[in-house]
């Protein structure tokens, strides 16, 4: 049984938790205010889910999902995530996160920033370009005509392979963008961002992306 440790219990964190428990994962989920504020969500998720602090969720998870606003990235615990696959849902909204010069200039990516914060973890981009509600409603069995595709990106084949397998379980095809340095292709305001697309359309949209929007 794989345990998913989820750091962030908002729109995306709660939806990834719902999808994960529905597919047989154990979930340990956390937010910024403490596990006592997650009672309703954990009750809804059922016996395979529990609430914890971010440190505890990081320690409990075999695989971790980091799904907090980018401005909170520096608060993500480092040591409990060491050596683990970390799924990164984050996007950059300067209106929310403040301006980050290296992102504004196209010199890094949001996922490279998380990888730098977690130097011994294996970061993979996941779920960053799908509206949260669609995670539990838009999946379809493998082989379905026009199945929706989602992108991943990682510097570690093992992490990209996990995301590919997890997407497939949840009902999505995968397009691998390549290393994290290429993950800007699926960041905000690019053609692949938060639109429904199959694998061929996603691949096409990735090639159309411009580094600076
Ligand atoms: N919304 C979408 O459809 C969507 C789609 C794709 C990607 N994304 C991206 O995914 C990320 C999360 O988005 P969201 O919409 O889920 O955000 P959200 O609804 O605002 O939820 C953010 C969650 O992060 C928690 N958090 C904040 N700081 C934390 C910390 N230091 N430690 C632990 N937890 C912390 C918050 O806890 P509290 O509730 O206690 O404050 C909250 O549970 C963002 O980067 C967003 O841009 C969003």
């Amino acid at each position: 049984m794989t345990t998913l440790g989820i750091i962030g219990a908002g729109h995306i964190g709660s939806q990834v938790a719902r999808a994960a428990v529905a597919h047989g994962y154990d979930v340990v989920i956390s937010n910024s205010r403490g596990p006592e504020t997650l009672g309703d969500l954990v009750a809804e998720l059922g016996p395979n889910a529990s609430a914890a602090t971010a440190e505890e969720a990081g320690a409990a998870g075999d695989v971790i999902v980091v799904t907090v606003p980018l401005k909170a990235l520096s608060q993500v615990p480092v040591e409990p995530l060491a050596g683990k696959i970390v799924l990164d849902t984050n996007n950059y909204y300067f209106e929310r996160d403040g301006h980050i010069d290296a992102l504004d200039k196209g010199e890094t990516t949001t996922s490279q920033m998380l990888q730098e914060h977690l130097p011994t973890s294996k970061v993979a981009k996941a779920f960053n370009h799908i509206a949260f509600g669609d995670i539990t409603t838009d999946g379809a069995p493998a082989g379905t005509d026009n199945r929706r595709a989602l992108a991943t990106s990682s510097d570690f084949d093992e992490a990209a392979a996990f995301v590919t397998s997890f997407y497939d379980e949840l009902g999505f095809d995968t397009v691998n963008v390549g290393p994290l340095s290429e993950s800007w292709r699926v960041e905000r305001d690019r053609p692949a961002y938060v639109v429904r697309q199959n694998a061929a359309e996603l691949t096409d949209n990735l090639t159309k992306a411009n580094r600076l929007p």
Side-chain angles (χ1 to χ4, degrees), residues 7-13 30-34 37 54 67-70 72 75-76 89-93 96 127-133 193-194:
I7 298 176
H11 294 99
I12 290 285
S30 62
N31 64 5
S32 72
R33 289 165 293 151
T37 65
T67 183
V68 300
L70 190 66
Q75 296 161 27
V76 173
T89 80
N90 298 297
N91 291 309
Y92 171 45
Y93 281 84
R96 176 193 65 194
F127 299 108
N128 82 299
H129 70 118
I130 179 170
F132 67 96
Y193 192 66
V194 196

Side-chain angles (χ1 to χ4, degrees), residues 9 17 47 53 56 59 61 71 97 134 153 181 196 198 203 213:
T53 65
E56 291 165 344
K71 65 183 176 188
D97 302 315
D134 293 351
S153 166
S181 58
R196 193 202 184 284
N198 62 30
T203 301

Side-chain angles (χ1 to χ4, degrees), residues 68-157:
V68 300
L70 190 66
K71 65 183 176 188
L73 186 148
S74 64
Q75 296 161 27
V76 173
V78 177
E79 192 280 330
L81 279 56
K84 298 181 181 178
I85 293 171
V86 175
L87 276 50
D88 168 38
T89 80
N90 298 297
N91 291 309
Y92 171 45
Y93 281 84
F94 63 84
E95 303 91 334
R96 176 193 65 194
D97 302 315
H99 276 282
I100 298 170
D101 199 43
L103 290 174
D104 290 336
K105 289 179 175 165
E107 294 171 352
T108 190
T109 63
T110 55
S111 287
Q112 284 175 291
M113 290 175 61
L114 184 61
Q115 183 68 76
E116 282 166 22
H117 179 67
L118 302 172
T120 65
S121 300
K122 299 165 188 166
V123 171
K125 197 91 207 162
F127 299 108
N128 82 299
H129 70 118
I130 179 170
F132 67 96
D134 293 351
I135 292 172
T136 53
T137 59
D138 232 9
T144 301
D145 188 41
N146 199 33
R147 193 189 200 205
R148 186 167 180 168
L150 298 174
T152 190
S153 166
S154 182
D155 296 340
F156 297 89
D157 290 345

